[in-house]
Amino acid sequence: MSWEVKYNQNNPVAPLLFSCANHAPIPTKILYNNEIDSDVPSQTAALIAKAKEIGAGITPSMCKTSFDSDHQSSDNLYYDGLSIFQKTLLAGAYYASSINNELANPNQTTIITCCSNVIAETSRSLRNIFGYDQIQGGSLSPVRSSLYCAAQASSSRTFIGVYCVSRRIVPEAGRNWYQGVFAEFSDGTQAILSGGAFYASDETISAFDDMSGKDPNENDPLTPNNQAGEPGGPAWSGGGVDGSGGGFGDFDYSSATETDPSDPALQTSSAGFFTVHVSSDFSELNNLATYLWSNQFDIDNFKRIYADPMDCILGCNIIPATVPVSPATVKVGNISTTVSFPKATKNFVTEDLGTCFIPESKYTKTFLDYAPYTKCQLYLPYIGFVELSANEVIGRTLSIKYHIDIVTGAFVANVYSAGCLIGTYPGNCATSIPITSGQYAASFQTAAQVATTALAAAAVIGAFALAPEVAGPVAAAGSSIPLGTGIGGLSVQGAFSGAPVATAGMYGVAGAAGAGAGLSLGELASKGLAAKGLSDTASKGMRSVRDYLTPSVTRSGALSCASGYLNIKYAFLLITAPDCAIPSTYNEFHGRTTYDTLKLSSLKGFTQIAYIHLGTTGTDEEREEIMRLLSEGVML
Amino acid sequence: MFDIVVGVTNTPIDHLEKDFIPVATLQGILRDSSSIINPVVLIETTLPTNWNYAVISTFGRKYYIRDIVSIRTGLVELTLHVDVLATYADQIRNHTAVIARNAYKYNLFLPDTEVKCYQRPHILTEHFSGQLPPGMVTLVVAGSGGTSSQNQPDPMVG
């Protein structure tokens, strides 16, 4: 196999990619090899299965009009009644099912194809289903769509490059059929930009040179970034908004990528002063205990060095991690035992808590989906709730990784939004198993501290007045936790006894607080709201988004150690989004926010002017009246 | 003396242009000290005076009729106020402006502080795809012990 660098980093495709998804510049190479038809990413089989599953109920009559071999019929797909997502799936599935022969060929790349008009929506939706890696843009402008797709698909990772692995001449069509165009990402995955069909004429390819700096989806009505002046959109020209407008919040992708740190090279367990044995249950520990109390253990020899065998036990914990191990036997105080107990080969491990994609279109699809109107709180195991900005959540893929030291239980939870580290939270996930008297005391002390901290946090919660519906579910959760095992549980299970107290304390008080009378003006004022705005709103008896800045609610206290062990082990987002009341005639009577420069003759209906330099004839008094009326809003 | 077209409009006052139904064209004169913006016009008519709009082409303006006072039989006094929107509609349309709000061209991702919200918000949860493993027992012992008991490939625990 020989590769030829067809285009190099200087090719204008690269800036095109950056412009369409606001990514930092990446090297772009297009390679081709006339002898190879395609390239097969490792996930092709999964895609085939998924495509067949979706395509099982699809008949050509359902979507043939929405899709043809040249990917040209975008109008039907967009306007045919079904949602864009449904139609796109149908088209993609039909296409996938219609080329089973190709799919069955392990040397054939794959395919969900959609039209440029729906490419933005599709890429956002399908990447969830197909794990980002199988999205193809076809249709009217295959190059643009494909590249845009790739950019969309890459929103959670860094581009390495884009490659075209083969080119087939299609004489009857007079075009080249490029296959196996795919992108490579920093995490080693690949995204297919175009699989089975990527028709492009020589003119199209040569047109790469002419596309530098242009918006690859400039005709896509569903691409919010097509807004003039927005990142990825055309240069600001003072126009071009429509009813579907929008953007991607204020999150700047231009330099926002951080790769997850690799485990430290220096493993503390390599120091030679201690050894970490790991077991998935207590069987090995039981064997060791049995051994130590048996006459097989050479206690006389041991006592020449130590007073108590337990002096050699530095810690015994339950750690929520998967650790690579090697077979070993335990040595206690340099005294070999016959007890088999696997030994950890590394003491820093990484746990992936997965991803969570919050589609921009899932909620109101307006500014209300973002901060400060929508609040996002992230529950992290062993940490509790932390506040995130909705601007960094909506329309993004969040991912979480825990970097855990299995010796101490200390960990750091890294939260990424679209590949950018947006939060790092330390904690401790070691649930201590008391073996010695000293450990027992320490465990109890830790649990008591947790309980104290939680109760203090609950007191803070009490300072706020939660809306009942917010506190209700939380209180309900709290009530399900037995209080009876609280402080009184100073028994052998002392290491765990603090947790129910802590949990019940923080939730229970939150519930009680939830029975409060809602937000007070004072609290809202503390958020910097203008008194006039509040009084205006109050006088109207309605709650405006202006005063929707609800106080932050602390939902948990210290949730480490045993209390974390007793709680939920997965992460989730708790999203509090406003429920807006839009009367049916709101747009007609009052309009929606435009904030754009437009000629009045191009408008109709209710129009309110922000700024105008009025140059009409008439007296000053008349001009002033016109200005006043326009600023109040008129019907054009 | 000038012509004044009186009639009726049902168009709301905030519309740039009004649907005007003329009823009659009459002769009018200005009262003393009338302004062109708020003129007071005397007309002679015996017609029912259920008008609310007037056009005086001599002034190049359209007017709302704010008040109608009968001075004596056959003589009516109309108090007018210029309809600046309708009078200058064409000129206004030719202007370019920064539009704050519009009924049809808007961007929903721009904050609209006048939208009202119900007191009760939506509360939703979105789960992450993975989770922490159930846990494993770690025993940390002093020393570099832990001899390999078998020559096996590394298993995974947890």
Side-chain angles (χ1 to χ4, degrees), chain A residues 242 246 273 275 279 314 317 323 362-363 367 543-544 573 575 577 590 594-596 607-608 610 615 617 622, chain B residues 61 88 91 95 98-102 105-106 108-109 113-114 116-118 122 124 126 136-138 140 143:
Chain A
D242 58 35
F273 286 96
T275 303
S279 173
L314 303 181
N317 298 306
V323 183
K362 185 159 186 174
Y363 302 119
F367 70 100
R543 194 173 191 212
S544 166
L573 277 166
I575 298 174
H590 197 50
T594 304
Y595 212 72
D596 198 3
T607 303
Q608 193 174 19
T617 58
E622 285 176 315
Chain B
R61 285 169 170 79
Y88 302 104
Q91 295 183 45
H95 277 75
V98 176
I99 310 300
R101 307 179 71 90
N102 183 257
K105 289 194 174 182
Y106 48 79
L108 295 178
F109 287 92
T113 56
E114 296 180 41
K116 306 296 182 188
C117 290
Y118 295 107
H122 295 298
L124 312 103
E126 301 281 354
M136 59 182 190
V137 179
T138 62
V140 185

Side-chain angles (χ1 to χ4, degrees), chain A residues 242 245-246 272-275 277-279 288 312 314-319 321-323 325 327-329 331 343 353-355 362-363 366-367 370 378 543-545 548 569 571-573 575-577 579-581 586-587 590-598 600-601 604 606-608 610-611 613 615-619 622 625 634-635, chain B residues 14-17 36-38 61 81-82 84-85 88 91-150 152 154-158:
Chain A
D242 58 35
F273 286 96
F274 63 88
T275 303
H277 294 277
V278 177
S279 173
L288 179 63
C312 299
L314 303 181
C316 188
N317 298 306
I318 298 174
I319 303 284
T322 302
V323 183
V325 297
T329 55
K331 289 174 75 174
K343 182 175 70 173
L353 267 68
T355 61
K362 185 159 186 174
Y363 302 119
T366 70
F367 70 100
Y370 294 88
L378 174 64
R543 194 173 191 212
S544 166
V545 293
Y548 205 85
K569 299 294 191 304
F572 65 90
L573 277 166
I575 298 174
T576 306
D579 183 8
C580 57
Y586 184 78
N587 290 14
H590 197 50
R592 302 298 285 267
T593 312
T594 304
Y595 212 72
D596 198 3
T597 299
L598 297 167
L600 298 187
S601 58
K604 60 181 180 178
F606 180 86
T607 303
Q608 193 174 19
Y611 305 105
H613 289 271
T616 61
T617 58
T619 66
E622 285 176 315
E625 184 170 349
V634 298
M635 292 286 185
Chain B
D14 61 351
H15 282 229
L16 197 63
E17 290 188 290
I36 198 168
I37 295 171
N38 299 297
R61 285 169 170 79
H81 177 69
V82 65
V84 289
L85 293 179
Y88 302 104
Q91 295 183 45
I92 291 172
R93 277 207 185 87
N94 280 330
H95 277 75
T96 296
V98 176
I99 310 300
R101 307 179 71 90
N102 183 257
Y104 300 102
K105 289 194 174 182
Y106 48 79
N107 187 326
L108 295 178
F109 287 92
L110 287 169
D112 183 350
T113 56
E114 296 180 41
V115 169
K116 306 296 182 188
C117 290
Y118 295 107
Q119 184 69 24
R120 187 172 73 175
H122 295 298
I123 299 177
L124 312 103
T125 56
E126 301 281 354
H127 291 201
F128 281 72
S129 56
Q131 64 176 352
L132 288 174
M136 59 182 190
V137 179
T138 62
L139 180 70
V140 185
V141 296
S144 59
T147 55
S148 178
S149 61
Q150 301 172 58
Q152 294 176 344
D154 287 359
M156 297 291 283
V157 175

Side-chain angles (χ1 to χ4, degrees), chain A residues 208-281:
Chain A
F208 278 16
D209 293 340
D210 299 323
M211 295 169 68
S212 175
K214 292 184 179 177
D215 181 357
N217 260 346
E218 61 189 8
N219 296 318
D220 179 2
L222 295 175
T223 304
N225 275 353
N226 280 345
Q227 297 297 310
E230 292 183 352
W236 185 264
S237 59
V241 292
D242 58 35
S244 66
F248 280 91
D250 57 8
F251 197 72
D252 181 8
Y253 275 100
S254 59
S255 61
T257 53
E258 289 295 335
T259 54
D260 202 53
S262 56
D263 293 333
L266 285 177
Q267 299 282 324
T268 56
S269 58
S270 303
F273 286 96
F274 63 88
T275 303
V276 184
H277 294 277
V278 177
S279 173
S280 58
D281 54 37

Side-chain angles (χ1 to χ4, degrees), chain A residues 277-581:
Chain A
H277 294 277
V278 177
S279 173
S280 58
D281 54 37
F282 287 102
S283 58
E284 285 86 353
L285 208 58
N286 289 336
N287 293 340
L288 179 63
T290 303
Y291 180 86
L292 290 177
W293 295 110
S294 71
N295 54 14
Q296 298 176 52
F297 185 58
D298 187 356
I299 190 68
D300 295 332
N301 197 17
F302 182 86
K303 283 192 170 180
R304 293 174 188 166
I305 308 171
Y306 300 98
D308 183 344
M310 291 306 169
D311 290 347
C312 299
I313 307 295
L314 303 181
C316 188
N317 298 306
I318 298 174
I319 303 284
T322 302
V323 183
V325 297
S326 62
T329 55
V330 181
K331 289 174 75 174
V332 179
N334 221 25
I335 305 298
S336 295
T337 71
T338 59
V339 177
S340 174
F341 206 143
K343 182 175 70 173
T345 57
K346 56 192 288 193
N347 67 294
F348 295 122
V349 296
T350 300
E351 290 295 339
D352 189 348
L353 267 68
T355 61
C356 182
F357 176 60
I358 313 298
E360 187 181 38
S361 58
K362 185 159 186 174
Y363 302 119
T364 66
K365 206 174 182 178
T366 70
F367 70 100
L368 291 170
D369 290 344
Y370 294 88
Y373 312 105
T374 292
K375 292 188 177 300
C376 296
Q377 289 183 306
L378 174 64
Y379 172 81
L380 293 167
Y382 291 92
I383 290 177
F385 284 97
V386 297
E387 195 97 20
L388 296 181
S389 168
N391 292 353
E392 298 171 340
V393 172
I394 304 299
R396 319 269 183 227
T397 296
L398 297 185
S399 59
I400 302 171
K401 290 194 175 167
Y402 274 46
H403 298 276
I404 303 171
D405 175 10
I406 64 167
V407 176
T408 64
F411 71 87
V412 61
N414 284 345
V415 180
Y416 295 85
S417 173
C420 177
L421 182 66
I422 60 168
T424 179
Y425 308 94
N428 193 295
C429 61
T431 302
S432 178
I433 302 172
I435 292 179
T436 67
S437 58
Q439 287 175 345
Y440 174 83
S443 299
F444 172 71
Q445 190 175 15
T446 302
Q449 283 175 346
V450 169
T452 305
T453 308
L455 288 169
V460 173
I461 294 169
F464 291 91
L466 266 175
E469 61 277 7
V470 176
V474 181
S479 64
S480 66
I481 298 172
L483 264 172
T485 55
I487 295 173
L490 305 180
S491 62
V492 180
Q493 299 300 317
F496 300 96
S497 62
V501 179
T503 312
M506 58 198 175
Y507 284 155
V509 179
L519 301 171
S520 72
L521 285 179
E523 287 162 351
L524 289 172
S526 70
K527 291 292 178 183
L529 298 176
K532 180 179 182 304
L534 287 172
S535 60
D536 286 347
T537 304
S539 66
K540 294 175 184 174
M542 292 287 282
R543 194 173 191 212
S544 166
V545 293
R546 186 181 307 176
D547 55 309
Y548 205 85
L549 306 178
T550 53
S552 296
V553 177
T554 303
R555 297 192 190 277
S556 67
L559 197 60
S560 61
C561 306
S563 51
Y565 185 62
L566 294 173
N567 218 322
I568 299 170
K569 299 294 191 304
Y570 55 83
F572 65 90
L573 277 166
L574 186 65
I575 298 174
T576 306
D579 183 8
C580 57

